[in-house]
Amino acid sequence: PLGLNSDWLDKLKGQKFFSTSPQHTHEHYTQVVRTTIQPLHGGKGSAYDAYEYNAHSHTYISDHQPTAKFSYDLAAMQVVVREQPRPWYKFLTTTCAVIGGVFTVAGILDSMLYAGINMRRKLELGKQG
């Protein structure tokens, strides 16, 4: 799909597991989650499924012969990604919030600067007690 890179598709790509002793055991566990992506524009049947997985690998020394263990788990839940259009008023309220925040910060900085200049003037005139 558009915007997905190869790292998302294959998390174990390029990883190598070596044994430095004859009794190393490599254990790999993956958990698979079904993800349904429903695009904004498209009719019925435009949704598609992707399968994401997490991979965990452990290496440890055992008392037995070297082993490679692989196990997987299919998750009981499903992730649904649904694109939805934003209403025009959300843009308007967000813009107003940003402008209000800028004015608030500017007001705070102005009052701090004004108070600092007044304090400096009073100190120069010797009227600060």
Side-chain angles (χ1 to χ4, degrees):
L2 186 63
L4 299 178
N5 56 19
S6 62
D7 292 342
W8 182 82
L9 296 173
D10 191 3
K11 293 178 177 68
L12 292 176
K13 183 177 183 179
Q15 290 191 12
K16 297 176 182 168
F17 301 92
F18 295 102
S19 295
T20 56
S21 95
Q23 295 172 324
H24 271 166
T25 295
H26 300 280
E27 186 172 347
H28 307 283
Y29 170 76
T30 58
Q31 183 179 21
V32 182
V33 178
R34 179 180 171 192
T35 302
T36 301
I37 301 171
Q38 298 175 346
L40 177 63
H41 301 291
K44 239 180 175 160
S46 63
Y48 54 91
D49 292 332
Y51 292 90
E52 298 181 72
Y53 69 92
N54 285 330
H56 303 282
S57 299
H58 304 284
T59 301
Y60 55 91
I61 297 176
S62 65
D63 294 335
H64 307 291
Q65 53 183 268
T67 310
K69 296 179 182 178
F70 298 93
S71 58
Y72 68 93
D73 182 25
L74 298 175
M77 66 179 170
Q78 174 185 4
V79 176
V80 177
V81 179
R82 182 177 299 126
E83 292 181 320
Q84 294 180 338
R86 283 185 106 178
W88 63 272
Y89 63 84
K90 289 241 181 183
F91 171 75
L92 185 64
T93 56
T94 303
T95 304
C96 289
V98 169
I99 291 171
V102 168
F103 275 112
T104 302
V105 171
I108 291 170
L109 291 176
D110 180 57
S111 66
M112 288 173 56
L113 186 65
Y114 180 75
I117 289 173
N118 276 345
M119 188 181 301
R120 184 174 173 207
R121 280 187 191 156
K122 286 182 180 182
L123 284 174
E124 288 175 355
L125 295 174
K127 292 184 178 182
Q128 186 70 19

